[in-house]
Amino acid sequence: MNRWLPFEWIAAVRFLLEGLLQTLVILGGIAIGVGVIVFMSAMLAGLQANFIKRVLTSQPQIQLIPLDQVARPLRNAKGTIEAPIVQRPTQRVLSIDQWQKIRDEMQARPDVVTVAPTASGSGLALRGDANRAITLTGMEPENYFNIVRVPDYIVAGDAQVTSEGILVGTELANNLGASLGDKINVTTAQGGNRILTITGIFDLGNKGANQRSTFVTLRTAQSLLGLIGGVTTLDLTVTDIYAAENIARDIQASHPVEADSWIKTNAQFFTAVQAQQNSNTLIRAFVGLSVAFGIAAVLIVSVIQRSKDIGILRAMGTKREQILRVFLIQGGILGFLGSLVGSVLGAGALILWHSVARQVDGSELFPLIIESQLFVYSAALATLTGVIAAIAPALRAARLDPVVAIRG
Amino acid sequence: MAEVLKLEQIKKSYNLGTAVETEVLHGIDLSMQSGDFLALMGPSGSGKSTLLNIIGLLDRPTSGRLLINAQDTGRLGDAALTRLRGETIGFIFQYHYLISAFTAHENVMMPMLVDRGHPDAEMAKRADVLLERVGLSRWRNNNAMNMSGGQQQRVAIARALAMNPDLVLADEPTGNLDTKSANAVFELMREINRERGTTFLLVTHNDDLAKRCDRIVQVVDGSLAT
Ligand SMILES: Nc1ncnc2c1ncn2[C@@H]1O[C@H](COP(=O)(O)OP(=O)(O)OP(=O)(O)O)[C@@H](O)[C@H]1O
Ligand SMILES: [Mg+2]
């Protein structure tokens, strides 16, 4: 007998060992339940992280744009009748008012990581007979590439862009029949016109984006779009991506800009994540419940089988609380051991599935995220579940009338 | 000599307040002095086990007074009774002798372990001494279930003595043994009674054994006929 263990632990362990087959069967049941939860949680976390990573490396988390222009009907003097129909004004490409000041204020915020001013608008790319509509994004690479990782998507050339250079997508390059080092003519409706050299070709993994997106320096875009000194958007990244919406609201309330968070612009994605999390929680709850019932059933049988032992223990002076604890501890041990085995099972299945399941292009379906936190959490939860499940059997054992138990 | 046990008008009824209420014990008076070795006899169903369970504080009488070491047990709560039982009374039962999840040695340690909470060297040593006394040192680490009925009952005697109780209650301890083993188990109890002055109350159907006790008390239909 271990010197350090109290009576309750000694008895609990011995009882579990004596009914080894029962113990192993229920441990198997708990392990499968915990394994399913671990596997499912880790895979969902991986898929989610993958999706968020994809979203966040190709778009800013908050975008500040100028406020919509509204038509202000003229009121002349008293008694003048206002025009009955006020037409919405067309939205011109406009610069954010005092954008340098706003940028500095954004940079001063502790919850904002990067601020990247961009000047963007539409234009036309011409080369020989071919012409294509493009979206021209003028940016400062040292800031902007922290938000949209264009360098990660470069397939030819590099992301170094000069005032005479342009980065284009694979699709646009194909359409224009252009390759690295070729020159293309870019014109805009504002009357800008410039010959730019293709210094890099990227593949954003999306045909539409590869067709339309182009990147130039901020200065080049400003001159092409007739926005000398102005920017159309301020792109932000923040420390806590899930706080983006609150931060955006805060910015919008205190500055003359419209602030759109990635949460708002990807509302559908969030609905999907939420739905997934709900069903995940539901599955966990039911798995937990069935594990709890399994433990309770096994312990109730054990209490009945051991009623004579319990009676004898009570006769020799064992207190009711001691008997109660013996069975609560058994429940806890079952939950804990089951969760350990289950975590190993779940992690094993995850690693296996990770190596087998591939996307069409052969890349991983989800990143392998195995957080020790998940195991600690599930072990704690399973132990607690075991103890709670053991309450009814333990009470039954503690309340056993020794006279009845011994007469048997 | 101290009075270890005193019963005054102990009555016990089952199914109290229902149509099938039955009084099993009709006012038992009994007194035992320290060192007594008493045989309780009587036909089946006469109430011997019921009486023993009441004396052993496993059951409460419907009325009457039960004094152990001159302490009135009537007003004690469940926890206090459990404590008094652990400290002053040892049990030996007919059938379910030992706890099968433990070795012989651990079974003998068990009352001390339950009392003190943690195992210690002193209780392990005492269990060894007791096993030696009942002649089972060699079986020390045997699982309780791998022993003959006589051996198990000797371990049970050692266990009953673990807390050095004032009173040992034995409900047909030899009822399930062959004559030879029964004799050996009885002799062991008798010797321990003489050596240590431990008080024994022994239920038996065996006339030969009863005759070798200090005193015989007959229970007939829930009353004593001395
Ligand atoms: N829980 C109970 N409810 C109702 N009646 C009971 C209960 N326990 C015992 N009895 C009755 O009490 C009477 C005495 O039983 P007890 O077990 O004390 O007899 P006994 O003398 O020990 O018999 P035996 O020699 O067969 O062991 C019996 O008639 C029995 O049916
Ligand atoms: Mg009986």
Side-chain angles (χ1 to χ4, degrees):
Chain A
M1 273 194 239
N2 190 318
R3 283 280 181 86
W4 305 109
L5 289 182
F7 157 73
E8 289 89 337
W9 280 87
I10 294 172
V13 170
R14 288 299 180 85
F15 284 174
L16 287 175
L17 284 179
E18 203 194 16
L20 194 60
L21 191 63
Q22 271 177 48
T23 304
L24 289 180
V25 168
I26 187 62
L27 275 183
I30 302 164
I32 290 170
V34 173
V36 165
I37 292 179
V38 165
F39 176 80
M40 205 176 55
S41 304
M43 196 178 69
L44 278 183
L47 285 172
Q48 209 170 308
N50 208 16
F51 198 99
I52 289 176
K53 184 177 136 223
R54 236 185 294 167
V55 167
L56 294 188
T57 53
S58 56
Q59 69 179 57
Q61 290 147 23
I62 298 178
Q63 241 182 349
L64 307 188
I65 55 174
L67 291 170
D68 272 0
Q69 295 149 49
V70 286
R72 280 199 213 94
L74 220 56
R75 284 170 215 232
N76 289 338
K78 258 207 311 200
T80 330
I81 296 165
E82 254 177 50
I85 296 167
V86 179
Q87 206 167 29
R88 254 179 77 79
T90 53
Q91 304 290 318
R92 289 182 295 130
V93 178
L94 262 195
S95 173
I96 297 176
D97 205 23
Q98 299 189 53
W99 67 267
Q100 288 93 340
K101 183 168 168 269
I102 297 179
R103 178 192 59 189
D104 294 345
E105 282 172 15
M106 290 301 114
Q107 254 153 5
R109 284 180 73 107
D111 50 5
V112 169
V113 180
T114 321
V115 185
T118 64
S120 54
S122 44
L124 203 62
L126 302 134
R127 185 166 186 270
D129 293 337
N131 66 74
R132 286 289 183 278
I134 56 169
T135 304
L136 205 56
T137 304
M139 40 88 219
E140 303 166 344
E142 67 274 18
N143 289 324
Y144 190 75
F145 288 169
N146 285 334
I147 299 178
V148 180
R149 306 260 156 77
V150 180
D152 292 354
Y153 302 109
I154 291 288
V155 293
D158 57 52
Q160 292 293 312
V161 54
T162 60
S163 58
E164 300 305 319
I166 185 167
L167 306 179
V168 300
T170 48
E171 205 67 28
L172 180 65
N174 278 346
N175 289 343
L176 297 175
S179 54
L180 205 62
D182 287 347
K183 289 183 174 10
I184 56 172
N185 192 351
V186 177
T187 62
T188 62
Q190 288 79 12
N193 186 352
R194 213 104 167 226
I195 306 224
L196 298 170
T197 309
I198 297 175
T199 58
I201 299 176
F202 55 79
D203 178 3
L204 294 177
N206 171 312
K207 191 169 172 181
N210 289 343
Q211 210 160 40
R212 261 188 312 279
S213 307
T214 64
F215 298 99
V216 295
T217 59
L218 185 59
R219 228 163 246 290
T220 307
Q222 284 171 336
S223 85
L224 275 168
L225 295 168
L227 277 169
I228 300 306
V231 301
T232 54
T233 53
L234 285 172
D235 288 345
L236 311 183
T237 54
V238 292
T239 46
D240 176 9
I241 58 170
Y242 295 102
E245 178 59 21
N246 288 337
I247 299 172
R249 281 204 200 121
D250 183 41
I251 293 170
Q252 189 163 332
S254 55
H255 295 87
V257 289
E258 181 179 331
D260 295 327
S261 73
W262 73 289
I263 292 172
K264 200 160 108 188
T265 43
N266 294 281
Q268 254 185 329
F269 166 68
F270 274 93
T271 317
V273 166
Q274 196 56 52
Q276 223 170 28
Q277 264 162 359
N278 287 348
S279 65
N280 193 3
T281 307
L282 207 66
I283 292 171
R284 277 191 224 193
F286 279 110
V287 170
L289 212 60
S290 64
V291 163
F293 274 112
I295 293 175
V298 163
L299 287 182
I300 284 174
V301 170
S302 165
V303 168
I304 293 167
Q305 286 173 337
R306 298 199 177 282
S307 57
K308 283 178 188 173
D309 289 348
I310 297 167
I312 290 172
L313 280 170
R314 293 278 289 130
M316 64 174 73
T318 311
K319 301 182 193 79
R320 284 186 197 277
E321 309 92 80
Q322 287 177 305
I323 299 288
L324 186 80
R325 285 197 288 268
V326 167
F327 283 87
L328 290 181
I329 289 169
Q330 287 187 63
I333 291 177
L334 286 176
F336 181 73
L337 288 185
S339 78
L340 286 194
V341 181
S343 295
V344 172
L345 278 184
L350 198 69
I351 290 166
L352 194 72
W353 183 238
H354 177 260
S355 67
V356 171
R358 293 277 138 182
Q359 284 184 36
V360 196
D361 62 1
S363 66
E364 58 177 17
L365 181 61
F366 57 92
L368 199 56
I369 302 176
I370 299 183
E371 288 173 345
S372 53
Q373 198 193 335
L374 177 63
F375 297 126
V376 174
Y377 177 76
S378 53
L381 204 68
T383 308
L384 190 70
T385 305
V387 173
I388 291 172
I391 289 177
L395 279 176
R396 193 188 163 130
R399 287 182 187 147
L400 212 68
D401 181 354
V403 174
V404 176
I406 290 164
R407 193 173 49 218
Chain B
M1 245 193 204
E3 191 171 48
V4 174
L5 177 70
K6 186 167 180 62
L7 305 188
E8 287 173 6
Q9 282 300 305
I10 290 289
K11 293 185 180 180
K12 179 70 182 176
S13 300
Y14 284 111
N15 307 313
L16 216 59
T18 67
V20 287
E21 179 176 329
T22 38
E23 192 172 86
V24 178
L25 298 176
H26 315 292
I28 305 270
D29 292 307
L30 182 69
S31 167
M32 282 184 81
Q33 301 298 316
S34 178
D36 266 359
F37 199 98
L38 191 151
L40 196 62
M41 298 193 75
S44 190
S46 56
K48 304 180 296 293
S49 294
T50 305
L51 184 60
L52 218 63
N53 289 336
I54 289 172
I55 295 171
L57 307 174
L58 291 172
D59 206 351
R60 283 179 191 270
T62 311
S63 68
R65 260 168 36 110
L66 167 63
L67 291 90
I68 290 179
N69 288 332
Q71 182 184 7
D72 194 340
T73 60
R75 274 193 224 106
L76 295 180
D78 190 67
L81 285 180
T82 301
R83 200 142 146 235
L84 186 61
R85 182 165 69 231
E87 284 166 359
T88 56
I89 295 169
F91 285 93
I92 304 167
F93 300 103
Q94 179 179 1
Y95 293 110
H96 9 81
Y97 313 109
L98 304 175
I99 300 173
S100 57
F102 294 92
T103 64
H105 181 251
E106 289 163 343
N107 264 278
V108 179
M109 270 177 80
M110 199 54 64
M112 299 180 274
L113 176 60
V114 157
D115 179 52
R116 281 179 240 168
H118 287 262
D120 61 42
E122 198 256 303
M123 65 177 73
K125 185 146 174 282
R126 175 162 172 81
D128 273 323
V129 170
L130 287 167
L131 270 184
E132 170 91 63
R133 177 62 194 87
V134 299
L136 289 173
S137 288
R138 222 162 57 77
W139 298 81
R140 181 182 192 278
N141 296 323
N142 256 63
N143 183 282
M145 292 299 109
N146 297 335
M147 293 194 247
S148 74
Q151 287 171 329
Q152 289 190 39
Q153 207 57 307
R154 275 147 68 194
V155 176
I157 292 170
R159 182 180 65 190
L161 297 171
M163 291 294 285
N164 208 7
D166 299 311
L167 176 62
V168 172
L169 302 175
D171 197 348
E172 298 186 46
T174 60
N176 211 28
L177 303 177
D178 60 71
T179 318
K180 202 165 152 246
S181 310
N183 217 30
V185 165
F186 179 84
E187 269 318 309
L188 182 61
M189 290 192 284
R190 195 74 246 226
E191 282 167 21
I192 286 164
N193 161 253
R194 289 204 181 103
E195 285 165 19
R196 303 168 184 243
T198 311
T199 316
F200 276 81
L201 176 50
L202 173 75
V203 173
T204 183
H205 286 289
N206 187 324
D207 288 322
D208 287 341
L209 297 182
K211 274 179 202 139
R212 285 146 67 184
C213 295
D214 295 339
R215 190 148 66 104
I216 299 175
V217 172
Q218 292 279 351
V219 185
V220 181
D221 270 344
S223 303
L224 293 194
T226 326

